[in-house]
């Protein structure tokens, strides 16, 4: 019997997940399937530099755990929320590489908005060296602007079912007393209701007066 060894393929889905919704799940699952990923690890951001206020990390972590628990290929990592200070994608990718060694191939999964932002930084090359990027289509963002040739095959665009859903909209809906059923998994809906999250804007919010210094974020501040 021959044993064909294949390099493990690890997907990484970064985000604030405030809260996680089915757009994130569809994006991750579609990337997993299209790229034959063995696992997708969701990494809720700790103190994101780009947002002034976010819900407490433990709440966002719990919601992400609840949302992903039913998929044996999904897991959630605490590496960003357990780290002090702002989050840098490059640092996270390097930490994951250190942790896993040369074993797995890393795939960083993003929606169209996030990839457009990342690749307009002054120096995306270090990021693209650390992982292959998978950019999923997202309503309202035009991936046609991406010059894929410029990135030497390190960025792939995937078409996913269009879901015009955002965490911003879900937070607004909860605040206004409108339903979020079917926009988030039922367990997430139940937990948001039970904990009273988002009813008054960001009740569990921590103020983040964080300004990015050094790290991967070298441009477009
Ligand atoms: P917010 O409105 O607070 O920015 P969000 O819905 O954009 O929330 P994030 O946590 O910012 O969610 O996004 C995490 C990742 O998921 C990003 O790469 C983002 O582009 C992607 N993503 C989020 N929603 C969708 C969606 N509906 N379709 C495709 N990709 C998505
Ligand atoms: Mg976003």
């Amino acid at each position: 019997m021959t044993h064909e060894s294949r390099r493990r393929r690890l997907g990484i889905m970064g985000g604030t997940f405030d809260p996680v919704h089915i757009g994130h799940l569809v994006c991750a699952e579609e990337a997993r399937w299209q790229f034959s990923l063995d696992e997708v690890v969701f990494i809720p951001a700790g103190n994101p530099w780009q947002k002034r206020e976010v819900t407490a990390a433990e709440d966002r972590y719990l919601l992400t755990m609840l949302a992903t628990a039913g998929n044996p290929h999904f897991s959630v990592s605490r590496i960003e929320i357990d780290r002090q200070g702002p989050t840098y994608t490059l640092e996270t990718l390097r930490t994951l590489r250190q942790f896993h060694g040369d074993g797995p191939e890393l795939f960083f999964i993003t929606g169209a908005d996030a990839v457009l932002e990342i690749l307009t930084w002054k120096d995306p090359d270090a990021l693209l060296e650390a992982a292959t990027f998978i950019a999923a289509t997202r309503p309202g963002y035009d991936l046609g602007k991406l010059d894929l040739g410029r990135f030497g095959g390190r960025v792939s665009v995937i078409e996913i079912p269009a879901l015009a859903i955002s965490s911003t909209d879900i937070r607004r809906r909860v605040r206004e007393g409108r339903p979020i059923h079917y926009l988030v998994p039922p367990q997430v809906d139940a937990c948001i209701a039970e904990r009273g999250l988002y009813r008054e804007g960001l009740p569990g919010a921590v103020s983040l007066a964080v300004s990015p210094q050094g790290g991967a974020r070298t441009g477009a501040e």
Side-chain angles (χ1 to χ4, degrees), residues 8-208:
R8 219 165 83 80
R9 294 161 75 84
L10 179 63
I12 299 146
M13 181 85 196
T16 316
F17 304 127
D18 194 12
V20 64
H21 55 70
I22 60 164
H24 299 129
L25 299 170
V26 167
C27 180
E29 181 65 357
E30 195 62 27
R32 185 186 75 76
W33 185 78
Q34 289 198 30
F35 279 76
S36 307
L37 306 178
D38 297 289
E39 181 184 349
V40 176
V41 50
F42 285 65
I43 308 188
N47 296 348
W49 51 263
Q50 72 273 52
K51 287 180 184 172
R52 308 227 101 231
E53 285 198 331
V54 292
T55 301
E58 292 303 335
D59 283 329
R60 292 183 289 111
Y61 173 73
L62 175 62
L63 295 175
T64 310
M65 287 288 284
L66 290 170
T68 54
N71 189 325
H73 301 285
F74 287 175
S75 63
V76 187
S77 164
R78 294 183 60 93
I79 61 170
E80 290 194 0
I81 63 176
D82 283 344
R83 196 166 54 203
Q84 296 297 312
T87 288
Y88 297 105
T89 303
L90 184 57
E91 210 175 294
T92 299
L93 291 175
R94 286 181 173 162
T95 305
L96 285 172
R97 173 59 74 205
Q98 233 167 13
F99 181 78
H100 291 284
D102 286 337
E105 217 175 317
L106 303 184
F107 295 83
F108 193 75
I109 305 164
T110 72
D113 56 317
V115 82
L116 287 171
E117 196 175 296
I118 285 169
L119 297 180
T120 53
W121 291 359
K122 272 183 206 144
D123 181 19
D125 297 339
L127 277 168
L128 295 176
E129 213 169 282
T132 299
F133 274 60
I134 301 174
T137 48
R138 182 174 189 181
Y141 301 93
D142 179 13
L143 278 175
K145 286 187 220 154
L146 267 189
D147 175 11
L148 291 176
R150 148 88 177 78
F151 303 113
R154 299 290 282 168
V155 181
S156 296
V157 170
I158 60 168
E159 184 96 26
I160 67 168
L163 293 163
I165 301 175
S166 69
S167 302
T168 302
D169 181 53
I170 289 168
R171 294 193 299 271
R172 188 182 309 125
R173 282 175 160 274
V174 176
R175 206 165 55 233
E176 293 172 357
R178 290 154 69 203
I180 58 168
H181 305 306
Y182 313 118
L183 298 174
V184 299
Q187 299 88 333
V188 171
D189 187 2
C191 185
I192 288 173
E194 196 181 304
R195 303 200 138 215
L197 297 172
Y198 307 117
R199 273 187 207 155
E200 289 150 43
L202 291 169
V206 286
S207 234
L208 298 172

